[in-house]
């Protein structure tokens, strides 16, 4: 996945090692399988939460899967292994769910500045927030394009591997068939 992301970045005219990362989560329902899952009260579903790190072009840098009852601010340690291969990252853009002190500590631990992008108090309904739409688009592609609308794997590491496999296939397809 790392090699493909570097090739995609070069093809887009960017340097191979990104400096900006956008972090977000998406809850997905789980079919009746054994294994860790939880209830996400905000989305009102039983399932798992997918956590993604994407660059400024929307290329997947790291993925993780956790039970849905884990708060967004507590999902960042699941990305530690995926963050290590990218020491060049300097700025993390997150949404309002990542405002806790432990999120700031996580960014500081990995040598990144952080910025929280939220809707303004006067904004109502859907608003495309700065750079956040990139991670939303990528998570949507993984869910719908990869046939992963529901979580089917019993173990979290298998679920993460399936996501990484689909992300790699999508990246390879984009490299071989430029638009």
């Amino acid at each position: 996945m790392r090699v493909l992301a570097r090739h995609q970045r070069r093809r887009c005219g960017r340097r191979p090692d990104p400096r900006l990362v956008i972090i977000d989560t998406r809850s997905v329902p789980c079919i009746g399988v054994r294994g860790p899952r939880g209830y996400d009260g905000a989305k009102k579903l039983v399932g798992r939460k997918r956590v993604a790190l994407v660059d400024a072009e929307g290329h997947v840098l790291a993925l993780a899967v956790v039970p849905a009852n884990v708060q967004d601010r507590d999902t960042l340690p699941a990305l530690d292994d995926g963050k290590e291969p990218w020491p060049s990252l300097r700025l993390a853009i997150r949404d309002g769910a990542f405002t806790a002190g432990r999120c700031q500590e996580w960014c500081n631990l990995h040598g990144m500045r952080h910025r929280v992008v939220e809707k303004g108090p006067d904004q109502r309904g859907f608003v495309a927030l700065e750079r956040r739409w990139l991670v939303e688009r990528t998570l949507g592609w993984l869910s719908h394009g990869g046939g992963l609308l529901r979580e089917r794997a019993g173990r979290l590491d298998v679920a993460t591997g399936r996501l990484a496999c689909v992300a790699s296939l999508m990246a390879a397809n984009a490299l071989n068939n430029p638009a």
Side-chain angles (χ1 to χ4, degrees), residues 29-149:
C30 212
I31 64 169
V33 297
R34 292 185 180 180
R37 56 186 174 169
Y39 181 73
D40 185 353
K43 304 286 192 275
K44 295 182 177 40
L45 63 84
V46 175
R48 294 187 179 147
K49 200 171 278 191
R50 297 173 179 166
V51 192
L53 253 82
V54 301
D55 69 356
E57 294 286 330
H59 306 131
V60 177
L61 303 179
L63 292 166
V65 178
V66 297
N69 61 341
V70 176
Q71 296 293 318
D72 285 359
R73 64 182 171 264
D74 298 327
T75 60
L76 291 177
L79 293 170
D80 283 343
D81 292 337
K83 164 54 181 94
E84 284 180 19
W86 302 102
S88 61
L89 295 176
R90 297 289 174 250
L91 175 64
I93 295 179
R94 311 170 312 210
D95 69 352
F98 294 98
T99 56
R102 68 191 109 187
C103 298
Q104 296 169 6
E105 291 170 11
W106 186 85
C107 285
N108 293 337
L109 175 71
H110 290 289
M112 294 187 293
R113 294 185 328 253
H114 47 88
R115 190 170 79 212
V116 175
V117 178
E118 293 180 306
K119 282 199 291 188
D122 57 337
Q123 294 175 329
R124 300 277 181 231
F126 173 77
V127 178
L129 299 175
E130 174 195 8
R131 303 245 188 208
R132 291 256 345 279
W133 65 272
L134 289 163
V135 70
E136 297 291 345
R137 178 190 68 183
T138 302
L139 286 168
W141 284 348
L142 285 173
S143 294
H144 296 286
L148 298 173
L149 287 172

